[in-house]
Amino acid sequence: MRIGILTAGGDCPGINAAIRGVGKTAILEYGMEVIGISSGFLGLINEEYVQLDENVLSGILTLGGTILGTSRENPFKKNNTFNAIDKPKLIKKHYQELGLDALVCIGGNGTQRTAAQLSEVGLNVIGIPKTIDNDVYGTDVTFGFDSALWIATEAIDRLHTTANSHKRIMVIEVMGHHAGWLALYSGMASGGDVILLPEINFDIHMVARCLKKRAINKKPYSIVVVAEGIATPKGESAARYVANNIKELTGLETRETILGYIQRGGSPSPMDRVLATRYGAYAVELIAMKRFGEMVALKGDAVTSVSLADVGGKLRLVPETHPLIEKARRMGVCFGKESC
Ligand code: F6P
């Protein structure tokens, strides 16, 4: 068999581990040929390919980013043509010309939706979920999340010491798009006093009240972790909006930090290396069994799969009833809703 593999959407640590998992299993276990497609779906439009042999796949397990490159190209966007040809048609044509028996799409929500659409038009597609946001529907975890969690936690740990020295309030904005997974987990891992998530409507006055109370109770400093996706008026950055309002409402010295792309860069954590490898290997098992139109997923401890048709276009958000939120509230963490 000849299989293609592409990486699309925002990058994250662990993608190369997944490429290696797919490639080595395909070549060594099944004698398949593996073609890397450059820059996500754009590579199938522009016909940019690279042969992935054992040499190319060696030494990439620990590498951040993606050796194939990525893009946010969505071929199914309305009126999306290349040289006047409909992009999905072009992709199908190039897939056939390449002689592919299957296509592995490594990506987040947008990628899985495109994968589902390509599957509908007759391509043999397998999805592998990745993203630091951990918001892909149908799987308990995406790889990339654990690495980003380590980075964000380490950064917030460092902000504790400088906050303490200066008796300041530190507002830290973490990524996550519309989901609050990274904010919730990094906030809890680093002992955040206030955690604001897109999934929980917050009242900035409640947040200010909680921080004032901490100051009155002689807490020298406070840590406020905010998800980038929280609602702010006028599209202001989450950290800027929260920090400015805290300053105004409490009069306490406040600083903001936006962690940004640091969360997506560098070497994957050991957990992400293992998860990405398991996902990659299982994607090839599915291909060998000719079970196409599926996305690899983790359910509990087991790697399994779900239908791409059920996944495409859906988000996995933090439920307000999440047990970690309940535990946090009992320990006095403020989510900006309850009065403290
Ligand atoms: O999906 C990963 C992510 O890093 C989000 O957390 C963030 O909102 C977005 O990508 C940033 O996208 P871009 O790379 O296009 O700036």
Side-chain angles (χ1 to χ4, degrees):
M1 280 178 117
R2 189 168 215 230
I3 67 170
I5 176 164
L6 61 79
T7 60
D11 73 343
C12 73
I15 298 181
N16 290 322
I19 295 173
R20 176 179 173 272
V22 171
K24 288 210 168 188
T25 309
I27 296 168
L28 298 175
E29 173 74 14
Y30 292 102
M32 295 174 182
E33 195 187 346
V34 186
I35 307 295
I37 294 152
S38 302
S39 307
F41 296 102
L42 214 49
L44 269 176
I45 295 164
N46 298 333
E47 298 176 89
E48 282 173 26
Y49 317 123
V50 49
Q51 183 87 27
L52 295 182
D53 57 23
E54 277 188 77
N55 283 339
V56 179
L57 295 167
S58 276
I60 64 168
L61 174 65
T62 60
L63 270 190
T66 160
I67 59 162
L68 295 175
T70 186
S71 72
R72 292 201 185 270
E73 168 68 33
N74 171 9
F76 287 91
K77 214 166 62 186
K78 267 200 184 134
N79 306 321
N80 206 357
T81 58
F82 181 78
N83 287 342
I85 307 175
D86 215 32
K87 284 186 180 174
K89 273 196 191 126
L90 204 56
I91 286 180
K92 191 169 181 183
K93 180 171 170 273
H94 292 156
Y95 170 95
Q96 284 163 346
E97 282 171 4
L98 252 183
L100 293 183
D101 297 296
L103 174 67
V104 178
C105 301
I106 303 178
N109 279 303
T111 305
Q112 302 310 330
R113 189 177 53 234
T114 305
Q117 288 166 305
L118 287 176
S119 175
E120 270 171 39
V121 298
L123 272 57
N124 295 332
V125 184
I126 299 291
I128 298 183
K130 67 102 184 83
T131 166
I132 65 164
D133 304 338
N134 203 28
D135 61 350
V136 177
Y137 187 85
T139 183
D140 291 354
V141 191
T142 57
F143 70 78
F145 176 65
D146 185 65
S147 307
L149 177 57
W150 271 92
I151 299 163
T153 303
E154 212 242 329
I156 303 170
D157 286 350
R158 287 176 185 276
L159 291 168
H160 271 266
T161 60
T162 169
N164 193 14
S165 308
H166 289 265
K167 315 283 178 268
R168 281 173 175 163
I169 294 174
M170 285 291 182
V171 178
I172 306 104
E173 178 180 315
V174 300
M175 278 187 166
H177 205 219
H178 296 304
W181 295 106
L182 201 47
L184 175 62
Y185 275 73
S186 62
M188 288 306 289
S190 62
D193 305 300
V194 176
I195 302 175
L196 301 180
L197 311 178
E199 294 89 344
I200 301 181
N201 287 328
F202 68 94
D203 178 347
I204 195 71
H205 294 92
M206 293 277 191
V207 174
R209 211 173 300 156
C210 157
L211 294 169
K212 263 193 193 159
K213 194 170 156 194
R214 282 180 54 81
I216 290 164
N217 288 338
K218 301 272 177 281
K219 303 278 185 190
Y221 69 98
S222 295
I223 297 292
V224 179
V225 179
V226 302
E228 65 172 353
I230 61 167
T232 60
K234 298 181 242 144
E236 236 173 324
S237 99
R240 174 70 44 90
Y241 169 76
V242 171
N244 282 347
N245 276 280
I246 289 173
K247 268 181 231 168
E248 208 177 293
L249 295 169
T250 66
L252 296 166
E253 201 171 68
T254 308
R255 293 285 188 273
E256 77 249 21
T257 303
I258 299 175
L259 295 186
Y261 294 92
I262 286 168
Q263 294 160 101
R264 263 169 44 181
S267 191
S269 69
M271 284 301 276
D272 274 342
R273 292 178 199 183
V274 172
L275 183 62
T277 302
R278 291 175 76 195
Y279 278 177
Y282 195 66
V284 180
E285 303 292 330
L286 290 172
I287 293 171
M289 292 186 282
K290 297 197 168 27
R291 279 182 48 201
F292 304 118
E294 296 279 301
M295 183 188 81
V296 173
L298 190 76
K299 299 277 183 188
D301 287 335
V303 175
T304 173
S305 70
V306 288
S307 162
L308 271 170
D310 292 340
V311 170
K314 293 186 203 151
L315 271 185
R316 192 176 78 95
L317 298 175
V318 180
E320 207 173 327
T321 53
H322 193 285
L324 192 55
I325 297 179
E326 195 200 335
K327 300 281 178 302
R329 280 195 168 123
R330 288 190 195 163
M331 294 168 60
V333 176
C334 170
F335 287 87
K337 198 171 182 183
E338 61 292 283
S339 59
C340 29

